[in-house]
């Protein structure tokens, strides 16, 4: 690629870029690979919503960028303690396995990709001192605002959740990158980094953001905590079909439609990566010729015009998504080690069995006497009625 082509691909399919001139200077003037990091807290099982950032990471790699993926184990713990540390340790291994498998599923070269575990440097003396510096100059209200769309919000928050955005800002320096990538829900953390890293002597970075894909149910985005909003990356073909069949997909409505958004932000881009830049997304129609799309704008226009309907779109999405997931499922099934990691990282929930308390029926002898007295009374009553 020429520097101009590389720059175009780096900026493609993004919702917003902050400090784009930093990226321009590195690619066009310094003529070196852009160093980018993307972080993910290792909490719930990755779902198909992860395809959205993975598609962009794949494009970064194709554009010649050097990419680091931060497996943020301490962040996972600090976010309202969603999991104990012993589980998070196994989840780091699980995340690395499945993210690599995701990228391989769309034919991405992993040679310029590096995985970094957060605690490998976040417990160092230098990092701790820098964190103290940020903590000493950051008000609680500012920390809460920075993490408002990322960290679980409560009326009485844990101190760890307030440290979350401060650490994410510091990670830019300690990972030695030019830019951080994340969803638009990270914007407040990105602006916190821009405003506060210079206060402790560090340079500002560029920030690139992808759109958030609506969930398949009523949820605003795919989320591990909303089972109906997402499809797990290891779901069987039958479960994928079942979930997509139930997905909310209002006829002739594109805005907020999770199925349409998934085609736009994942499937068409994944097909392009797999097929050397050309995407062909086919929608079969009953009693009519199928339509082949290589452009999301045409698909959206046809959907709004009722040329294609939810009944024709959902099977097409199911087919392509299952084709994408098949090599991931196959790799998982072939690996006893990955299965072992999965069991340790996400052990089945043990439901508490409620036992009924035995009613205190009192002294057996007294109970027998009461029954006998009741029977005798009934006999007298029957005799009186007979008279």
């Amino acid at each position: 690629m020429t520097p101009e082509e590389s720059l175009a691909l780096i900026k493609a399919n993004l919702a917003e870029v902050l400090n784009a001139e930093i990226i321009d200077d590195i690619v066009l003037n310094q003529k070196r690979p852009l160093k980018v990091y993307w972080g993910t807290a290792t909490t719930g099982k990755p779902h198909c919503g992860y395809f959205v950032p993975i598609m962009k990471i794949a494009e970064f790699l194709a554009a010649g960028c050097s990419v680091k993926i931060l497996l943020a184990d301490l962040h996972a713990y600090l976010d309202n303690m969603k999991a104990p540390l012993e589980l998070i340790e196994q989840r780091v291994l699980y995340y690395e396995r499945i993210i690599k498998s995701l990228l391989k599923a769309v034919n991405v070269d992993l040679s310029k990709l590096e995985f970094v575990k957060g605690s490998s440097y976040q417990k160092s003396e230098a990092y701790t001192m820098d964190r103290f510096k940020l903590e000493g100059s950051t008000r609680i209200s500012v920390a809460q605002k920075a993490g408002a769309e990322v960290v679980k919000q409560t009326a009485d928050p844990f101190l760890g959740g307030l440290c979350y955005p401060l650490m994410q800002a510091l990670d830019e320096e300690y990972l030695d990158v030019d830019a951080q990538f994340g969803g638009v829900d990270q914007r407040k953390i990105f602006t916190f980094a821009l405003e506060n890293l210079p206060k402790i002597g560090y340079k500002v970075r560029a920030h690139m953001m992808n759109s958030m894909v609506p969930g398949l149910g009523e949820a605003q985005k795919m989320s591990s905590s909303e089972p109906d909003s997402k499809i797990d990356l290891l779901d069987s073909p039958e479960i994928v079909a079942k979930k997509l069949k139930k997905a909310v997909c209002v006829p002739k409505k594109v805005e907020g439609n999770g199925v349409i958004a998934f085609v736009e932000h994942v499937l068409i881009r994944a097909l392009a990566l797999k097929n050397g830049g050309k995407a062909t997304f086919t929608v079969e129609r009953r009693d009519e010729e199928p339509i082949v799309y290589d452009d999301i704008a045409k698909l959206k226009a046809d959907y709004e015009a009722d040329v294609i309907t939810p009944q024709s779109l959902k099977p097409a999405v199911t087919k392509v998504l299952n084709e994408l997931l098949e090599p991931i499922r196959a790799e998982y099934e072939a690996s006893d080690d990955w299965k072992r990691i999965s069991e340790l990282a996400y052990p089945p929930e043990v439901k508490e069995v409620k036992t009924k308390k035995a009613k205190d029926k009192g002294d057996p002898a007294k109970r027998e006497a009461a029954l006998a007295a009741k029977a005798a009374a009934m006999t007298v009553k029957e005799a009186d009625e007979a008279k």
Side-chain angles (χ1 to χ4, degrees), residues 99-280:
I99 290 170
K100 281 182 178 177
S101 191
L102 264 168
L103 287 164
K104 286 188 286 186
V106 290
N107 294 348
V108 173
D109 178 11
L110 305 184
S111 61
K112 287 190 177 180
L113 180 68
E114 180 184 352
F115 286 87
V116 181
K117 184 179 173 183
S119 59
S120 67
Y121 65 88
Q122 289 166 346
K123 294 189 287 186
S124 70
E125 183 179 348
Y127 188 95
T128 301
M129 286 307 301
D130 279 339
R131 204 185 78 203
F132 286 159
K133 290 176 186 176
L134 281 181
E135 289 171 357
S137 61
T138 303
R139 296 187 180 277
I140 289 175
S141 59
V142 173
Q144 282 183 307
K145 181 182 176 183
E149 294 187 50
V150 177
V151 183
K152 185 176 177 63
Q153 299 296 299
T154 61
D156 187 16
F158 287 108
L159 187 59
L162 300 177
C163 294
Y164 190 111
L166 281 64
M167 291 173 63
Q168 187 169 334
L170 274 179
D171 292 337
E172 295 180 0
E173 177 68 24
Y174 280 80
L175 289 169
D176 185 28
V177 295
D178 307 306
Q180 185 180 172
F181 166 62
V184 291
D185 60 338
Q186 306 274 329
R187 194 182 195 282
K188 290 176 183 176
I189 294 180
F190 292 165
T191 56
F192 175 87
L194 290 173
E195 293 166 4
N196 289 276
L197 284 185
K199 293 178 183 178
I200 59 172
Y202 296 135
K203 65 182 182 181
V204 298
R205 272 75 177 182
H207 296 89
M208 298 177 283
M209 288 163 269
N210 63 261
S211 301
M212 304 303 293
V213 172
L216 298 175
E218 299 296 338
Q220 291 185 339
K221 65 178 183 178
M222 289 194 188
S223 168
S224 296
S225 60
E226 295 284 346
D228 291 336
S229 77
K230 47 91 181 182
I231 294 170
D232 290 334
L233 292 166
L234 294 173
D235 275 345
S236 68
E238 295 76 22
I239 290 176
V240 170
K242 184 178 179 181
K243 286 184 177 179
L244 278 167
K245 190 174 182 180
K246 290 170 61 179
V248 176
C249 189
V250 180
K252 298 191 283 187
K253 184 183 176 185
V254 168
E255 190 68 29
N257 188 318
V259 178
I260 296 282
F262 196 74
V263 175
E264 177 179 6
H265 295 288
V266 177
L267 299 186
I268 283 187
R269 289 163 66 186
L271 288 169
L273 284 166
K274 285 184 72 176
N275 302 319
K278 184 171 176 60
T280 52

